[in-house]
Amino acid sequence: NHSIVRDRAKLVYYYFTHYLINFAFNIISGASITINQIIEKDLDKLMKRTEARPLPTHRITVRKAKLFA
């Protein structure tokens, strides 16, 4: 009985740790991508491929992007 409880606790710990690492990775990735978009917003206006992004078109303000990041 004790080994089942111990194994279940290890499994819960494993999944919780995995979830936290995954969550942190996604938050850090989103922040770094947003910071990159802020830095390149003026260049994005000039390129056909990126001219419709939210910052160059002013659909999102730089202030709101910084708060998100």
Side-chain angles (χ1 to χ4, degrees):
N1 254 350
H2 293 292
S3 66
I4 293 172
V5 171
R6 208 171 327 128
D7 291 344
R8 187 168 289 177
K10 285 180 183 179
L11 192 61
V12 168
Y13 176 78
Y14 169 79
Y15 280 113
F16 183 70
T17 304
H18 179 75
Y19 171 79
L20 283 180
I21 290 170
N22 212 357
F23 181 75
F25 177 78
N26 287 320
I27 294 296
I28 292 167
S29 295
S32 64
I33 291 167
T34 303
I35 291 167
N36 183 55
Q37 294 294 316
I38 293 168
I39 291 169
E40 295 185 350
K41 70 179 176 54
D42 294 328
L43 292 174
D44 285 346
K45 289 181 196 177
L46 306 174
M47 296 186 340
K48 185 79 172 154
R49 182 177 63 85
T50 58
E51 66 186 4
R53 289 183 177 169
L55 283 170
T57 59
H58 303 287
R59 286 181 287 159
I60 296 176
T61 64
V62 173
R63 183 175 182 272
K64 286 183 181 178
K66 286 180 181 178
L67 286 173
F68 179 80

